[in-house]
Structures are given as structure tokens and as C-alpha cells.
Amino acid sequence: MRRSEAILQTVALTAASLLWQTTTTIEAFQSNSLLFSRIKPSQNVNSPQQYKSSLLYRAEGDESSDDDEFNDAVFAEWDEDERTASKMDDQPAPWKKNARWESLNPRVKLKVIEEAHQRAIRNKQKREPLQDKKRRMMEFYKKTQNRKRRDSRVKRPLPFTARTPLSNLTINSNINGTIISLTDFGVYVDVGTECDGLLHISQITRDEFIVHPRQCFSPGDEVDVRVKNFNPDMKKLWLTMLPIEEEEEEEENEDDGEDRILLEDVAVDDELWGEIVRVTDYGAYIDMGVEVTGFLHFMDHPDFGIVKGAHPREFMSVGQRVRVWASDVDGERRRIKLTANRPESLPVLKRELRF
């Protein structure tokens, strides 16, 4: 009995709901029909203004309070829709959000992207571990060194296919060349031949002592040199900047080597006379008739200290004859160290005065 009553109640509620929905639909249809019945058939309505101009109640003798209330409600609803639509129009559409970016110049875009990329790299480097930072700094240092090494290379004036063979050269001929590289023992010069020539540090000048060729030259400098010797089979070329007269004097001294004093015959404190053949920043080389030249340091000269800060060339000159004593003899290295001050170990000569 209770079950049947529940079923009847459910059916009644369902029927009432359907009846209410039907009534609402009919009322809405009637209102829409009344609305469109007031519009002129030949006019399209897209806005409240068009609707106002198309209403028939504007004609004379067709005005009522019900129509006014209805039209006011329609206008209010239509205005609300327009305000909502205008708010939506004020908001940028998805395709309008990047309108400023699209309007930029392509070069400006690339610059902005590059700056953002660099900024991201810097931020990443700040957060990287210490080991990675050290490794990156070492790589940067190596790249910098390689770049400096590449930039220091001198461009050769001629390609290797258009070079002169060594067999076409003649000894003592003067040629112009370009310095390619510097070493501790000399300079390599490109003179347009099939191989670079070596200008030894001892063949640069005899006027001063040169510790390193960088004191006089740098890569890329042009120099005038003279062919000293060459060997086409070994592909070697020796150059010099010394005058021919100096080489001839050296050759003459070498020819007189048989008449020279042997190094074994020279002892410490021996008195010798010699001629200065070269003056350097540290002293002078003296030819004493021995098979090797001796070196006199500028501090062992008697005139040292008379003028403070004076260069050895101011109190020693090439060709000057001096009296020296051997202060050290090195047979293994074949060197003689000299002094121009009389050693204190030698006896002092005394003269007797007679009245």
C-alpha cells in the first residue's frame, strides 16, 4: 500500500514539472512573437536604435502603458548585453596580446632575444658549482692564448709556390726580409727563399750586448741582412747584419790562432795586455793574444764609480789598449775573467830614495 502511494506521488511531481516547463516555453514564444510583430517586416534589427525606429507604436493612436513597460525591459536587457560586449572588446584578444612584439623591427627582436639569452647564461653561471666554474675559466684562458698565438703570426709576403731556391743565392749578397719569429738564440727571417734564414744573436751587432732579440726586433719587422752561408741539401740558410770588415778581422784573428797563447799557459794573477774588441752593458771583451777572449766586468775597471750611473761605453771603447790581470781561469768552459785593478795578493813595488 505504501509503495503504491510513493509511485503515485512521483508520477504527480513529474507531471507538474512537465506542465511548468511547457507553460514557460509558451510564454517565451508569445513574448517573442509580440516583439517581432511590432517590427516592420522590411527592416533588419541589429541594435536598440534600429528597434526603436521600427516600432509601430510610435505611430499616432497606438500607444499603451503595457507596451511602454515591455519596451523599457527590452531596452534595458539589450543595453546590458551591449555593455558586456564592450567590456569583452576592451580585453585584448589572444591574437592581440603580442601585437607590440609583432610590430618590432626584426633586428630589434634579434637583439632582445640575444640579451635575454646572455642574461640567462649569466644567471646559470652564478648557480654553477665551483668545479664547473674553474673548468670554464681554464677553457676561456686556453682559447685566449690560442687567439693571441694566431694573431701573433706574421703573414708571409710570398706563397711557398713562388719562392726562390737556395741554390740561386750568392754569399755576401744583401737582401731584404721579414722577421717571422723570435727565439732565445736568434731570429728567423723570411727572405723569399724556400726556407727561412737564421739570424743568430751574435750576428746582430757587436756594439752592445743583446740578451734577447726582442730588445731590437719584433715579429713583422723588415730588416736588411746579408747572406753568410747556405746549404741547399740541408735546407739551411745563415744570415748576418755585421759589416764585412768585422768578419774579415775575425777571420784574420782565427788564422793567427797558431801563434796565440794556450789557455793552459795562463794562470791567475798573470799580467796581460790586450785590446778591447767589444763593449756591452756589463763590460768588455778583450783580445790578449790568448786563444780565447777574456771578459772584463765594468765594476772591475779603475774608472768605475767616477761618474755615477755611467754606461761602460763612457770609460771603455773598442780599440783601446788596457792592462789587465787574470782573476779566474776556467779550463772546462774555456773562459777567462779579467780585472783592471792590480790584485792585492801581488807584491807592491817599492823604490828606495837616495839622498
Side-chain angles (χ1 to χ4, degrees):
M1 191 68 179
R2 292 180 179 177
R3 186 176 181 182
S4 60
E5 290 179 357
I7 292 172
L8 290 174
Q9 290 179 359
T10 304
V11 172
L13 291 172
T14 304
S17 176
L18 291 173
L19 179 61
W20 179 80
Q21 291 180 3
T22 304
T23 305
T24 305
T25 304
I26 291 172
E27 291 177 355
F29 178 75
Q30 289 178 354
S31 63
N32 290 334
S33 300
L34 180 59
L35 172 63
F36 286 100
S37 65
R38 297 176 181 274
I39 301 175
K40 296 179 182 178
S42 61
Q43 189 171 2
N44 296 324
V45 179
N46 295 321
S47 64
Q49 290 76 12
Q50 294 179 1
Y51 175 72
K52 290 179 181 179
S53 62
S54 63
L55 292 178
L56 297 178
Y57 75 90
R58 292 295 182 185
E60 295 181 0
D62 190 15
E63 295 182 359
S64 62
S65 61
D66 294 338
D67 292 338
D68 293 339
E69 294 177 358
F70 173 76
N71 290 322
D72 293 340
V74 172
F75 294 150
E77 184 178 358
W78 210 326
D79 292 340
E80 183 65 25
D81 293 341
E82 278 200 347
R83 284 194 296 271
T84 304
S86 63
K87 290 181 180 179
M88 293 181 66
D89 292 339
D90 294 340
Q91 296 179 358
W95 59 87
K96 293 182 180 179
K97 288 182 178 179
N98 295 330
R100 184 179 179 184
W101 172 259
E102 296 296 336
S103 63
L104 293 176
N105 190 293
R107 294 182 180 178
V108 178
K109 289 182 181 180
L110 292 176
K111 187 175 181 180
V112 172
I113 293 173
E114 184 178 358
E115 289 179 355
H117 183 63
Q118 296 296 332
R119 185 166 56 254
I121 292 176
R122 289 195 297 270
N123 293 335
K124 183 179 179 181
Q125 291 174 354
K126 292 179 181 179
R127 298 189 299 268
E128 67 179 348
L130 182 60
Q131 295 296 333
D132 295 345
K133 186 177 292 186
K134 290 182 178 179
R135 177 179 53 80
R136 182 171 52 81
M137 292 178 64
M138 183 59 65
E139 292 177 356
F140 176 77
Y141 174 75
K142 290 182 179 179
K143 289 180 180 179
T144 305
Q145 293 297 322
N146 293 334
R147 191 183 303 110
K148 288 183 179 180
R149 193 177 297 110
R150 288 194 300 269
D151 296 340
S152 63
R153 293 176 182 173
V154 180
K155 186 178 180 181
R156 296 179 180 271
L158 293 175
F160 286 98
T161 56
R163 291 182 170 270
T164 305
L166 290 178
S167 57
N168 295 345
L169 296 177
T170 57
I171 296 178
N172 292 331
S173 60
N174 296 320
I175 51 179
N176 182 267
T178 303
I179 296 177
I180 300 299
S181 61
L182 307 177
T183 62
D184 295 337
F185 53 85
V187 177
Y188 283 99
V189 184
D190 182 4
V191 292
T193 55
E194 54 187 344
C195 65
D196 295 335
L198 174 62
L199 176 62
H200 197 267
I201 191 171
S202 62
Q203 299 297 318
I204 296 175
T205 181
R206 294 295 172 83
D207 296 335
E208 58 180 341
F209 181 76
I210 299 176
V211 180
H212 196 277
R214 71 169 65 95
Q215 298 176 220
C216 307
F217 308 111
S218 60
D221 292 347
E222 293 186 359
V223 291
D224 293 327
V225 294
R226 183 168 51 86
V227 178
K228 184 177 183 181
N229 199 358
F230 61 89
N231 190 335
D233 297 333
M234 299 178 63
K235 303 294 182 184
K236 289 188 177 182
L237 174 62
W238 293 274
L239 305 173
T240 180
M241 294 182 66
L242 300 177
I244 299 178
E245 294 77 9
E246 291 188 7
E247 288 191 352
E248 292 177 352
E249 291 179 2
E250 291 179 357
E251 291 177 359
E252 291 178 358
N253 295 333
E254 290 179 358
D255 294 338
D256 298 337
E258 297 179 357
D259 301 334
R260 290 180 171 271
I261 303 173
L262 298 178
L263 182 61
E264 291 78 6
D265 297 339
V266 180
V268 178
D269 293 341
D270 283 355
E271 181 180 346
L272 302 169
W273 281 86
E275 182 180 349
I276 297 176
V277 295
R278 186 166 50 143
V279 181
T280 67
D281 295 339
Y282 303 98
Y285 289 92
I286 301 176
D287 182 10
M288 307 161 295
V290 187
E291 57 183 352
V292 296
T293 57
F295 180 73
L296 173 63
H297 198 272
F298 68 92
M299 296 182 67
D300 294 328
H301 196 277
D303 295 340
F304 170 71
I306 296 177
V307 180
K308 186 176 182 180
H311 194 272
R313 290 193 187 90
E314 296 184 12
F315 49 85
M316 290 187 290
S317 60
V318 177
Q320 180 182 3
R321 288 185 58 81
V322 291
R323 183 177 66 168
V324 293
W325 288 266
S327 60
D328 186 21
V329 180
D330 191 346
E332 295 181 357
R333 297 184 179 182
R334 300 185 63 79
R335 294 179 179 178
I336 300 178
K337 185 179 179 181
L338 305 173
T339 178
N341 297 316
R342 182 182 176 86
E344 296 179 356
S345 59
L346 296 178
V348 180
L349 297 178
K350 296 182 179 180
R351 288 186 178 182
E352 295 182 359
L353 299 177
R354 295 181 179 179
F355 298 97

